[in-house]
Each structure stands twice: as C-alpha cells, then as structure tokens.
Amino acid sequence: PHASNQTRSVQVRVSFTQPLQDGSSLTGSLNYNRTKLGYPVAVPAYFQSSINPIYQNQIDLTYRYPLLRGHGSPAYHEQMSASRQDEQAAGWRVEMLKEQLAEQATSLYFQLTADNLAVKLSEDAVHRAQKLLKYQKMREQFGLIERADRLQAEALLATRRMELSLAEATSKRGQTSLNRLMLRAPDSPLDPGAGGDLFSSVGIASLELDELLADAEKTRPAFRAVEASLAASNARLAAARNQHEMQIDLIGQVGSRALDSSANKAASQGFTLNDRFVSLSVELSDTIAGNATQASIRQAELSRQQAMLERLQLRESVKSSLANSLTILSNRHKTVA
C-alpha cells in the first residue's frame, strides 16, 4: 500500500564492435542507468527507498567466435577478392579496346599497302595497253590488221585507265581512313611500303594452330578479363554458400556490475571487478529452408556458369579466327608467288 507511484529512468548506453579478420568480433559496452522513484505525499520517509535515485553501472566485454557461418569472414574476404577481380576485369576490358584499335590500325595499314600495290599494277597495265595500242596502230598502217583490232586495243586501254582510276580512289579512301584513325589530316602523306619488306619470313608450315591458341590464352586481354570475371564469380559463390550455413557462435563474456548505488559509487565500482560477471555460451540459429540464401547461391552459380561459357565461346572464336588467318596467309603467299 506504500509502494511508489512514479518511476523516472535515464539510461546511457555506449558500445563498440571491432570485427576481426578470422570472422570473430569483439564488443565492448557501457550501460549506465539512473532510476528515481516517486512516492505519494502520505508515504512516510522511512517507508521510502533509502537510495533514491538509484544508479547502476554495467561494463561488458564480449568475444563472439563463429564456428560455421561467418567462419573466416568470407563475407568480407570473398567480397574483397571479388571486387579486386572485377577491377582487374575492367582494366583488361580497357586493354581490349586498345587491342581493337591496334587491330583496326594494322588492318588499315596492310589494306592500304595492298591498295597501293593495286595502283602500281594498274599503272603497269595502262603502260602495257598503251604499248599494245601503239603496236596495233603501226600494224594497221601496214594493213596487217583490221580497224576493229585497233579499236579493241583502244577499248582495252580505256578499261585499264578506268581500273587505274578506281584503284587510286580506293587507295585515297584507305589513306583517309588510316590518317583519321591517327587523328591526322585526311590528305597527310602516307606510304606504308616505305618500311621495307612487308612479307613475313616465317614459314606457314612452322605455324601450329594449337601453339598460337596457347599464346593467345596467355597474352590476349580478352582471356585475362574472362578469367578475372570467373574468379570474381567463384568468390561470390563461396560467400553465398557460407551464408547458407547454420550459425553456431561461441560467445565469451566478462564484465563488471555496480548495482543500486549512488552516482559516484556506481561510476567507480563499474571499473572494478568486485562484482563481476563471467559467462561462456553457445548460440545456435538457422533459417528453415533458407530460400533467400539458396537464391543467392543459385544466382552466383549462374554467374559462374556464364563466365565459363564466355571463356569457352571466346576460345572457340579465337581458334576460328586463327584458323581463318592461317588459311588466308597461305593463300596470299601463293598469290604473291
């Protein structure tokens, strides 16, 4: 009948948690409470609490060590590894763009060389047609051929001159394309044949498709980018599988207690071990079915399969490209011969 009819509480709580590299965590906490009881006016003082307000202080240090889920901190380390691999893959994709520009420049260079050779062949053809026409005119004067034969030589010369005009136009277009790729003026002088012999001294028979493919897998940026993406997918898959594990944590806790004291006494006793608390426990938790984590695992598995298929597709694409290049090179050598 003489109980308090009012309670006022103020609580100050401070805590910090430090994750550790092995997946465990260390948590420190300070809990300081002030509770003041209010009594009706009719309650005599000797029936009231002798300590009012009441101060309590609690300091704890807790160490949590995961035995299954979170062991080794895969959520951090695997994600860090995946991010680094993603960064490397992005860098290799930049190198792929540089490689594409280099391939474009190389293609335009040799195409311009071929166009210039075609111009020279056309000039020779015009010169031969002119000599033939001159010869036919002389034969016509002596009555050795008909007028139609001379007209046929004139038509041949006109055809050769038209072919020369087309060859020169093609060469100019190639010159413009290569100059603009190098950010130069379209009509800048450019002679790709000035560097000497353009034909490879390597024999076709010494080029093996498997060896070329192995070299490509070691040096081509596209393969490096796919390998980095695959490594990132493997890291994410390992992290997702760990999150699906049951959580079993070993928890050790030590702390001090200062209960029902005055303000100064509660504050000072909280930093001593006169009233201490020590515990060792095991915490177990799991999610039935775990649909969310299973979906994450499935997504990571699909990303890994996609990276593996991209690597296989890239390998076959490069192999086909190398095979076609060897065939073209062999045929062009025959043409040159």
Side-chain angles (χ1 to χ4, degrees):
H2 304 297
S4 63
N5 61 354
Q6 189 179 36
T7 302
R8 296 179 181 178
S9 297
V10 178
Q11 183 182 54
V12 177
R13 180 175 178 83
V14 179
S15 66
F16 69 91
T17 300
Q18 176 62 49
L20 304 178
Q21 290 187 355
D22 59 356
S24 60
S25 63
L26 187 64
T27 301
S29 62
L30 169 66
N31 193 358
Y32 190 77
N33 298 330
R34 177 185 183 275
T35 303
K36 185 173 183 180
L37 303 178
Y39 294 90
V41 179
V43 177
Y46 53 84
F47 283 115
Q48 300 180 14
S49 175
S50 59
I51 303 177
N52 193 20
I54 302 172
Y55 292 87
Q56 297 177 340
N57 191 8
Q58 176 180 339
I59 300 176
D60 287 312
L61 187 64
T62 305
Y63 178 73
R64 178 184 292 267
Y65 183 79
L67 300 177
L68 283 181
R69 183 194 303 175
H71 180 72
S73 188
Y76 172 78
H77 293 291
E78 298 297 346
Q79 185 59 44
M80 177 67 71
S81 176
S83 299
R84 289 174 178 172
Q85 295 297 333
D86 287 339
E87 182 179 3
Q88 291 183 8
W92 285 118
R93 290 188 180 95
V94 174
E95 296 299 321
M96 288 171 59
L97 295 177
K98 296 179 180 179
E99 185 183 63
Q100 291 174 7
L101 289 175
E103 291 177 354
Q104 186 178 357
T106 303
S107 176
L108 290 174
Y109 177 85
F110 285 104
Q111 185 61 51
L112 181 57
T113 303
D115 294 339
N116 289 344
L117 291 175
V119 171
K120 293 180 180 180
L121 291 175
S122 298
E123 290 175 347
D124 292 341
V126 169
H127 180 67
R128 289 193 302 270
Q130 289 174 341
K131 291 178 62 178
L132 177 61
L133 178 59
K134 182 179 179 180
Y135 177 68
Q136 292 295 73
K137 286 181 178 180
M138 182 186 65
R139 294 182 68 194
E140 182 184 10
Q141 290 177 356
F142 287 97
L144 298 178
I145 61 173
E146 299 292 336
R147 178 172 176 271
D149 295 328
R150 191 255 304 168
L151 293 177
Q152 185 177 5
E154 291 180 353
L156 178 62
L157 177 59
T159 301
R160 294 292 180 260
R161 285 174 174 170
M162 182 183 66
E163 291 174 351
L164 175 60
S165 177
L166 293 175
E168 289 175 344
T170 302
S171 177
K172 285 295 182 181
R173 287 197 299 269
Q175 180 181 356
T176 300
S177 298
L178 187 54
N179 276 325
R180 290 311 302 147
L181 182 63
M182 297 185 293
L183 304 180
R184 301 173 62 189
D187 56 350
S188 298
L190 191 63
D191 185 7
D197 189 10
L198 295 173
F199 301 104
S200 173
S201 60
V202 179
I204 301 298
S206 63
L207 299 177
E208 295 291 339
L209 180 60
D210 292 337
E211 294 181 359
L212 294 175
L213 181 60
D215 290 339
E217 290 180 339
K218 293 178 182 178
T219 58
R220 293 287 295 272
F223 285 101
R224 300 291 186 87
V226 170
E227 290 296 335
S229 297
L230 181 59
S233 299
N234 288 332
R236 291 190 174 94
L237 178 59
R241 286 175 175 171
N242 182 265
Q243 288 298 313
H244 188 66
E245 296 285 347
M246 179 186 298
Q247 181 177 352
I248 302 179
D249 293 347
L250 181 64
I251 303 173
Q253 184 177 355
V254 60
S256 64
R257 302 289 187 269
L259 305 177
D260 298 342
S261 301
S262 61
N264 295 334
K265 188 175 181 180
S268 60
Q269 287 183 349
F271 293 93
T272 67
L273 292 178
N274 294 331
D275 295 319
R276 55 191 174 272
F277 174 83
V278 179
S279 72
L280 183 64
S281 60
V282 176
E283 180 180 305
L284 185 149
S285 65
D286 194 13
T287 302
I288 298 176
N291 294 329
T293 52
Q294 284 183 354
S296 299
I297 292 174
R298 184 56 178 165
Q299 182 179 4
E301 289 176 343
L302 291 176
S303 298
R304 181 175 180 272
Q305 292 177 7
Q306 182 179 1
M308 294 177 65
L309 290 175
E310 287 179 357
R311 181 176 62 178
L312 178 61
Q313 182 182 12
L314 177 62
R315 188 176 188 276
E316 293 302 323
S317 176
V318 172
K319 188 174 182 180
S320 298
S321 178
L322 289 172
N324 292 332
S325 298
L326 288 177
T327 301
I328 294 173
L329 186 60
S330 177
N331 293 335
R332 295 297 169 83
H333 269 264
K334 294 177 181 178
T335 303
V336 171

